[in-house]
Amino acid sequence: MDFENALRSNIIDAAKSMSKGGTRFATFRKSFCNPKLWILTNKGGFLLRDEVSPARGVNDIFSNGEKYGFECAVAIVIVFYKGVLDTIGADKFNELFSNLLLFSWDADSDLGITTARVGARYAKPGDCLYFKNPDVNPEKTEWQGENVILLEEGRYYGHGLGIRDADGMIAALNKNRKKDATESAYLDDIVSYPDYDTLAQYAPSNLSRYRADSRFPESLITIRSRIGKRRTISV
């Protein structure tokens, strides 16, 4: 549990850092990135240049945020990568995540993301959850939902919406519903997280300083996916 606690803590820190780092929300069609480090693909993904290390590329998003705009699902992937980087260190990160492409969860499968429909009440800080907006305005489909990182004390970070509680996230999405909408946005039951078990193989020896934390109670979720393969489960 030491490694999982450490990574969850660093994911939370990465989400908070992104919230004030100057990055902007943008649809895939309008995404942009620092061209010195990344190549913008025709689908709106960010492909790391050959001469740039993965650690440098990820850190640049947090230190030069104004040079980046991306969609909320991409933000979650970046936050997960940053959390892993800050947990295992640059050398191991560069070894594991060469040829880095930031796009969708399917494209960024090397994190081993698992998605489980177990109920948001079982989520732990550092998990990704989803607020769904079923009556979204068809002219603003980018607000059909918001991927968020669960922080402490019932707060969430969502790219483009910042840090809010559940009511705040729902209120923001409800502003982007179609005319005569009848259904409110709501917190879905899906919980997503990286493959802690496999990533733990690359943990540094000094992780003993991370002890069991009451923020991270034992999870109902026990199924993990291997790095390089994304698995969806329902229990």
Side-chain angles (χ1 to χ4, degrees):
M1 288 297 292
D2 284 350
F3 177 81
E4 182 174 335
N5 286 353
L7 181 47
R8 286 183 180 277
S9 179
N10 285 330
I11 288 171
I12 291 168
D13 289 345
K16 292 178 180 178
S17 179
M18 181 175 283
S19 74
K20 54 188 178 184
T23 56
R24 291 166 53 189
F25 176 86
T27 62
F28 284 113
R29 185 170 58 87
K30 295 183 179 180
S31 293
F32 58 94
C33 55
N34 185 349
K36 293 182 179 180
L37 279 67
W38 301 89
I39 299 170
L40 181 64
T41 72
N42 57 9
K43 292 185 177 181
F46 304 160
L47 178 63
L48 191 67
R49 293 189 178 277
D50 291 339
E51 67 276 14
V52 179
S53 72
R56 181 187 173 197
V58 170
N59 280 329
D60 190 70
I61 299 172
F62 291 83
S63 59
N64 292 299
E66 70 282 356
K67 297 181 180 179
Y68 295 87
F70 41 81
E71 198 259 4
C72 67
V74 179
I76 299 299
V77 171
I78 295 170
V79 165
F80 279 162
Y81 275 126
K82 176 63 171 170
V84 172
L85 169 58
D86 290 345
T87 306
I88 67 175
D91 290 343
K92 282 294 183 182
F93 187 86
N94 292 336
E95 177 184 336
L96 287 173
F97 302 113
S98 59
N99 304 314
L100 193 59
L101 171 65
L102 304 177
F103 183 52
S104 70
W105 288 1
D106 292 322
D108 298 286
S109 60
D110 47 8
L111 286 167
I113 294 174
T114 291
T115 296
R117 186 174 287 281
V118 297
R121 66 186 181 279
Y122 294 112
K124 297 187 289 185
D127 284 337
C128 171
L129 292 92
Y130 185 68
F131 285 87
K132 189 172 183 178
N133 188 12
D135 276 351
V136 65
N137 183 337
E139 296 181 358
K140 297 182 178 181
T141 55
E142 64 270 25
W143 295 111
Q144 63 187 311
E146 181 77 1
N147 292 283
V148 299
I149 294 291
L150 175 61
L151 308 178
E152 310 95 335
E153 300 177 349
R155 297 180 303 155
Y156 306 84
Y157 166 67
H159 185 57
L161 295 181
I163 295 175
R164 303 171 182 235
D165 61 14
D167 289 342
M169 290 291 175
I170 290 170
L173 290 173
N174 281 345
K175 292 179 181 178
N176 294 285
R177 290 185 294 171
K178 63 186 178 182
K179 184 178 180 181
D180 300 323
T182 59
E183 188 172 358
S184 171
Y186 62 91
L187 180 59
D188 205 346
D189 286 335
I190 293 174
V191 180
S192 301
Y193 49 88
D195 186 351
Y196 293 105
D197 292 342
T198 301
L199 289 167
Q201 300 176 49
Y202 309 99
S205 59
N206 63 352
L207 274 183
S208 60
R209 70 181 185 274
Y210 293 94
R211 298 302 179 187
D213 190 318
S214 60
R215 294 180 304 171
F216 309 131
E218 288 298 318
S219 175
L220 176 69
I221 304 167
T222 58
I223 298 176
R224 304 298 193 199
S225 64
R226 294 182 179 179
I227 292 178
K229 296 181 180 179
R230 181 168 181 250
R231 179 189 300 168
T232 299
I233 60 176
S234 295
V235 295

